[in-house]
Amino acid sequence: SKALGQVEAGLDNIIVELSTCDRLIPLYTRDFEANKTNAKWLKRAVSRMYAKECTEDALYEKLVEAYVAADPSPQASVFFAGILYKRGKETEAMEYYKKAVEQEPDAFKKAENLYKIAQLFAKKGRKSQARNYANQALQNKPSMGKAYLLIASLYASSANGCGTTEFDKRMVYTAALNKARRAASVDPSIASRASKYIKNYLSQEPSRKLIFTIGVKPGTPHTIKCWIGETVKVPQK
């Protein structure tokens, strides 16, 4: 049984490598009716179509919908969420990502699904909810630097709305900078990307002259209001 499984997996890899959309689409169109409730067949078909970037064809959506019905698994929910998102049904997509989170026992995979939900909320401008899901992703995978960068970008985009004075607004970039630095420290694989965020936010922080002018002592705590509600330290310029 083990040997057969290894052979089957090897053949599957060969099929994926040799296949093209022009070959896969007619093949799965022909065999769909006979296999539309066969979860194993549907999973392979969806995975191969996805791997070969055949996702623009209507057959892909048909396969995914059948896959979700035949196998309500985390992987199926994620595939279907992607279809719904592409259709512009972001709210429905979010529900399927949430479903995938509930179904997923693996912490790292759960973190990826939580991050996708955070991205959807961020795109909708619902920043507090986006941060909430990004933080949940980090609880499951503390080394997910991209989640910290998402929070950093949410903070930075709120600078004008989270302060009445220039100093208050610029301190929002200090909060964003802290998240970007955290991203770089926990996830070396995104260090280059994080460094761009860091450089940008450093340039937006309160200047030494501004800090001196308003009479604030460097290193003292400063609470950012609005939805961020975070306390950071005045930069040591």
Side-chain angles (χ1 to χ4, degrees), residues 150-161:
L150 177 60
I151 297 172
S153 65
L154 291 169
Y155 284 4
S157 68
S158 300
N160 288 328

Side-chain angles (χ1 to χ4, degrees), residues 38 72 78 113 115 182 187 189 205 218 225:
N38 183 335
V78 168
N113 293 332
Y115 176 74
R182 183 67 177 157
D187 190 355
S189 70
E205 277 196 306
K225 298 177 182 179

Side-chain angles (χ1 to χ4, degrees), residues 26 28 50 53 79 121 129 132 151 166 168 180 191 194 223 228:
Y28 293 139
Y50 183 83
E53 299 182 356
F79 272 121
F121 272 122
Q129 291 95 327
N132 177 37
I151 297 172
E166 182 184 356
D168 289 340
T223 300
I228 295 176

Side-chain angles (χ1 to χ4, degrees), residues 54-82:
C54 309
T55 56
E56 295 301 317
D57 192 90
L59 176 65
Y60 177 73
E61 296 188 12
K62 189 175 180 180
L63 288 167
V64 171
E65 288 179 346
Y67 178 33
V68 172
D71 178 27
S73 63
Q75 186 180 16
S77 294
V78 168
F79 272 121
F80 194 49

Side-chain angles (χ1 to χ4, degrees), residues 173 177 181 197-206 237:
Y173 288 104
L177 175 63
R181 282 174 169 164
Y197 283 68
I198 291 168
K199 184 178 180 180
N200 180 31
Y201 300 149
L202 271 172
S203 69
Q204 300 292 336
E205 277 196 306
K237 293 287 185 177

